[in-house]
């Protein structure tokens, strides 16, 4: 072997000093996500470890690139986690209430390979499960074996270089589904659906977390090339109601809306068009209506060709709130205009006669520092702080052109949730990770440039009151998930579960369990993990009575 051919190519990757969101990804180097409020909730991940799973031995190749994760480049300064783990009987502080029986699943991006041009939303989907029963907790984590994960593992290299940008793919990515399954995980038809909005779901076994189907199409009933990360469930019928945007391919203005029965058969669908193409991350479903909000996070193919990520924030665009009837042909769809706003998640939605109500966290401007502003405005953290708003329209009025919007509460935060049994129904109780700036700062942390997500707030819409679980500024809370106290528990009566990162312990992760009737009493139990896990985007609770038998 010649000296030349045995040489390894080492790609040098300079950690970036600042947020490079306004530079094209092809020239910017590593993009730091910055310690913004939004990503504070998707708190930082860390740790190192070997790639698990069975891979072929390293093929002798002159082209092999050294796998090296440069420090301080990704996920707010932390490295990837990458370890797939099993812990039987986790260390528990306090006492797990004996009536908690089920599994808490969470998913988030975790780098498989170094991604010099990567943004936090583009890591590979890593799923964790906390199986809780009889006062004990077993932990398991596995990567979703997406087509993309498998192709990259085989190539021993990253093949998808820029977020949702096919023009920057390695040629070896051709024909491989680009879905990362890194955004949300829900339980449907005895399987976990691991979801990314640019691709069909990936199904996983709820007990082993083995990937079952890396391209799940509802037996062909999913006519869209994409599927949202935020399907809804109608608990009375067991139906899933869902959609895909950019449904016919890159930059297409088609949205496929559908519902399927509990066994995976699509029972209804409609095709609709959007006023402009952009991110439709979540949607709203009531008993009567389906609603979408188009926000100025616009798809931009021209910029993709220049090496930028899929989206750019176009502050000249309005928002559009679109409403159609469930079960119809989609021709009744009406769009109502509103001002520039960023909104990502629906807490809950309901209809009352011909009125549709949708509760979302909303901010004045772009909330994602790594999706650049199109017109060069610097990222504005103040304008990116979101709070709960209620959007509504009265569809019996034929002449209205705009939707109504009301701020419900002053608390700032992101990732709102509800008691998921009340999806599509009138509801009263919601929850959201928030930052309480009124509390004293932990002295050991000194003068912090930002407040971490230090609380979970419970909202009671019946009298617009709130109560708060405050964990302290030495911890950063990720999204919470509601666990009913028992099968017949009243709305919102039960527990919140979610992961906290301990900032004074290098971000080490704990699962905290809080009683929703005693939000300010502190956790009833804390499950200690012996490491800092990757950051979660969303999570899902599956009650033990719904899980398949082992
Ligand atoms: C979101 C998350 C994503 C994504 C698009 O929270 C939007 C919003 C984790 O990936 O690709
Ligand atoms: Fe989401």
């Amino acid at each position: 072997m010649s000296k030349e051919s045995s040489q390894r190519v080492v790609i040098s990757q300079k950690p970036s000093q600042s947020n490079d969101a306004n530079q094209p990804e092809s020239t910017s180097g590593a993009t730091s996500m910055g310690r913004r409020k939004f990503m504070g909730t998707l708190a930082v991940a860390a740790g190192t470890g070997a790639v698990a799973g069975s891979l072929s031995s390293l093929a002798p190749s002159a082209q092999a690139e050294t796998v090296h994760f440069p420090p301080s480049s990704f996920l707010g300064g932390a490295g990837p986690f990458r370890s797939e783990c099993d812990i039987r009987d986790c260390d528990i502080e306090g006492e797990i209430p004996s009536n908690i029986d089920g599994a808490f699943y969470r998913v988030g991006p975790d780098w498989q390979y170094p991604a010099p041009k990567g943004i936090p939303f583009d890591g590979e989907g890593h799923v964790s499960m906390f199986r809780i029963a009889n006062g004990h907790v077993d932990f398991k984590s596995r990567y979703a074996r997406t087509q993309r994960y498998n192709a990259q593992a085989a190539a021993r290299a990253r093949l998808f270089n820029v977020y949702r940008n096919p023009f920057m793919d390695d040629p070896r990515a051709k024909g491989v589904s680009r879905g990362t399954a890194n955004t949300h995980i829900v339980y449907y038809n005895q399987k976990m659906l691991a979801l990314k909005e640019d691709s069909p779901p990936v199904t996983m076994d709820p007990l082993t977390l083995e990937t079952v189907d890396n391209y799940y199409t509802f037996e062909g009933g999913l006519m869209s090339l994409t599927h949202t990360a935020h399907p809804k469930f109608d608990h009375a019928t067991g139906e899933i109601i869902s959609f895909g945007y950019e449904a016919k391919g890159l930059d297409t203005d088609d949205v496929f809306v559908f519902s399927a029965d509990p066994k995976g058969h699509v029972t209804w669908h409609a095709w609709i068009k959007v006023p402009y193409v952009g991110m439709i991350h979540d949607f709203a479903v009531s008993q009567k209506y389906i609603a979408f909000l188009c926000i100025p996070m616009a798809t931009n193919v021209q910029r993709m060709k220049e090496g930028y990520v899929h989206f750019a924030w176009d502050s000249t665009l309005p928002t559009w709130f679109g409403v159609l009837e469930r079960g119809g042909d989609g021709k009744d769809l009406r769009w109502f205009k509103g001002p520039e706003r960023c909104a990502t998640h629906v807490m809950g939605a309901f209809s009352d006669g011909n009125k549709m109500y949708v509760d979302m966290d909303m901010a004045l401007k772009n909330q994602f520092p790594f999706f650049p502003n199109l017109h060069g405005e610097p990222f504005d953290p103040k304008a990116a702080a979101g709070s709960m708003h209620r959007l509504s329209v009265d569809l019996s009025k034929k002449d209205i052109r705009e939707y109504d919007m009301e701020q419900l509460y002053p608390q700032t935060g992101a990732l709102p949730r509800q008691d998921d049994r009340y999806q599509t129904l009138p509801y009263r109780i919601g929850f959201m990770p928030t930052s309480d700036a009124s509390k004293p700062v932990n002295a050991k942390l000194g003068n912090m440039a930002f407040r971490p997500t230090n609380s979970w707030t419970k909202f009671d819409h019946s009298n617009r009151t709130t109560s708060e679980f405050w964990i302290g500024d030495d911890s950063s809370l990720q999204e919470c998930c509601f666990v009913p106290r028992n099968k017949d528990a009243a709305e919102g009566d039960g527990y919140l579960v979610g992961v906290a990162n301990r900032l004074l312990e290098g971000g080490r992760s704990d699962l905290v369990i809080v009683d929703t009737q005693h939000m300010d009493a502190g956790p009833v139990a804390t499950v200690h993990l012996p490491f800092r896990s990757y950051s979660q985007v969303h999570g899902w609770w599956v009650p033990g009575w719904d899980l398949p038998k082992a």
Side-chain angles (χ1 to χ4, degrees):
M1 202 184 261
S2 76
K3 201 181 168 195
E4 243 173 50
S5 67
S6 66
Q7 234 164 9
R8 292 272 174 78
V9 180
V10 179
I11 311 276
S12 85
Q13 296 160 329
K14 263 197 242 140
S16 66
Q17 300 302 311
S18 61
N19 174 11
D20 287 341
N22 290 310
Q23 294 299 313
E25 297 298 329
S26 56
T27 59
S28 70
T31 300
S32 150
M33 75 179 198
R35 297 183 132 181
R36 309 297 186 199
K37 278 243 169 74
F38 182 84
M39 289 308 292
T41 311
L42 310 178
V44 293
T48 54
V51 177
S54 55
L55 297 174
S56 58
S57 59
L58 183 64
S61 160
Q63 308 306 318
E65 293 171 8
T66 299
V67 175
H68 175 59
F69 291 85
S72 314
S73 16
F74 308 116
L75 296 168
F81 182 65
R82 301 180 92 207
S83 287
E84 298 180 300
C85 332
D86 287 278
I87 303 173
R88 186 164 177 86
D89 269 318
C90 295
D91 174 11
I92 298 165
E93 183 185 334
E95 204 170 312
I96 306 258
S98 59
N99 53 348
I100 301 187
D101 181 347
F104 172 55
Y105 298 87
R106 60 193 281 278
V107 66
D110 187 9
W111 299 109
Q112 179 188 12
Y113 283 99
K117 299 157 202 163
I119 64 161
F121 283 0
D122 210 18
E124 310 306 317
H126 195 160
V127 176
S128 345
M129 167 175 60
F130 291 86
R131 178 71 175 100
I132 308 177
N134 303 314
H136 290 257
V137 180
D138 295 336
F139 178 83
K140 182 187 281 298
S141 89
R142 293 289 184 276
Y143 272 108
R145 293 310 197 265
T146 59
Q147 293 186 14
R148 165 172 156 148
Y149 180 97
N150 291 338
Q152 293 186 153
R156 289 185 177 278
R158 187 177 177 87
L159 305 179
F160 296 82
N161 293 305
V162 177
Y163 174 85
R164 293 187 63 185
N165 181 337
F167 305 104
M168 297 296 134
D169 289 349
D170 184 286
R172 289 169 289 179
K174 202 170 174 13
V176 178
S177 172
R178 66 183 318 111
T180 51
N182 73 5
T183 311
H184 198 6
I185 184 151
V186 300
Y187 188 55
Y188 171 67
N189 193 15
Q190 309 274 298
K191 298 287 184 304
M192 302 314 299
L193 304 189
L195 301 162
K196 178 73 173 182
E197 66 198 48
D198 66 351
S199 308
V202 171
T203 66
M204 296 170 83
D205 183 293
L207 303 179
T208 65
L209 298 185
E210 271 162 38
T211 297
V212 177
D213 186 346
N214 65 25
Y215 201 85
Y216 176 66
T217 62
F218 295 80
E219 298 167 25
L222 180 68
M223 293 159 78
S224 168
L225 296 170
T226 60
H227 183 281
T228 181
H230 288 281
K232 299 291 179 277
F233 293 94
D234 185 327
H235 280 260
T237 61
E239 282 177 289
I240 188 172
I241 305 98
S242 195
F243 75 99
Y245 74 91
E246 295 193 39
K248 293 186 179 175
L250 185 68
D251 199 29
T252 53
D253 62 0
D254 308 276
V255 177
F256 179 71
V257 198
F258 72 101
S259 54
D261 70 18
K263 293 284 161 214
H265 306 116
V266 170
T267 50
W268 168 74
H269 78 263
W271 285 96
I272 61 167
K273 295 262 189 191
V274 282
Y276 60 81
V277 184
M279 183 167 84
I280 309 178
H281 180 65
D282 198 349
F283 79 141
V285 181
S286 75
Q287 284 292 297
K288 187 168 182 189
Y289 297 113
I290 292 175
F292 296 94
L293 187 71
C294 292
I295 61 168
M297 189 61 81
T299 299
N300 194 315
V301 172
Q302 184 50 45
R303 286 169 59 96
M304 278 185 234
K305 289 180 177 160
E306 293 162 18
Y308 289 91
V309 293
H310 194 93
F311 299 118
W313 183 264
D314 185 350
S315 55
T316 65
L317 291 172
T319 48
W320 291 100
F321 184 63
V323 186
L324 68 152
E325 276 197 39
R326 268 173 81 177
D329 60 8
K331 294 200 172 71
D332 59 310
L333 170 69
R334 288 170 70 187
W335 289 103
F336 303 92
K337 203 175 183 175
E340 176 193 9
R341 286 288 185 283
C342 193
T344 48
H345 292 111
V346 172
M347 177 184 274
F350 57 95
S351 43
D352 177 8
N354 294 318
K355 295 192 184 114
M356 178 65 169
Y357 297 91
V358 179
D359 297 343
M360 303 188 79
D361 60 307
M362 291 188 103
L364 292 172
K365 297 233 167 232
N366 183 6
Q367 294 180 285
F368 305 90
F370 40 79
F371 293 148
N373 289 329
L374 182 60
H375 304 294
E377 315 96 306
F379 181 79
D380 180 350
K382 275 211 181 70
S387 59
M388 285 310 305
H389 286 67
R390 179 161 289 178
L391 280 52
S392 60
V393 286
D394 182 348
L395 291 141
S396 66
K397 294 189 178 154
K398 294 290 158 228
D399 51 341
I400 50 167
R401 295 279 174 272
E402 298 189 348
Y403 63 87
D404 291 321
M405 175 170 41
E406 177 199 6
Q407 186 179 15
L408 295 177
Y409 304 93
Q411 282 89 345
T412 60
L415 306 168
R417 294 296 294 259
Q418 70 177 141
D419 176 340
D420 288 323
R421 298 173 301 168
Y422 284 76
Q423 286 192 0
T424 78
L425 297 172
Y427 81 109
R428 192 164 70 85
I429 306 291
F431 307 96
M432 184 165 70
T434 46
S435 287
D436 188 336
S438 72
K439 293 291 202 296
V441 173
N442 185 309
K444 284 189 191 142
L445 286 158
N447 282 331
M448 289 186 299
F450 74 110
R451 300 300 290 260
T453 304
N454 57 20
S455 35
W456 287 332
T457 298
K458 171 183 164 184
F459 302 89
D460 185 340
H461 302 324
S462 69
N463 52 13
R464 299 273 170 97
T465 56
T466 62
S467 54
E468 181 184 282
F469 162 60
W470 182 69
I471 196 169
D473 271 348
D474 55 356
S475 298
S476 178
L477 284 165
Q478 302 184 7
E479 186 200 54
C480 57
C481 198
F482 174 75
V483 176
R485 199 174 302 277
N486 51 55
K487 219 171 183 167
D488 312 309
E491 183 187 357
D493 178 26
Y495 306 93
L496 293 180
V497 295
V499 168
N501 289 90
R502 307 302 189 182
L503 304 178
L504 296 171
E505 298 175 57
R508 194 186 53 73
S509 304
D510 282 342
L511 180 78
V512 293
I513 305 177
V514 173
D515 190 323
T516 58
Q517 304 297 353
H518 305 283
M519 293 290 290
D520 56 3
V524 293
T526 302
V527 180
H528 297 295
L529 294 179
F531 47 75
R532 177 186 198 174
S533 185
Y534 52 90
S535 51
Q536 170 187 337
V537 183
H538 296 295
W540 197 253
W541 174 256
V542 183
W545 57 80
D546 279 350
L547 283 170
K549 298 290 159 268

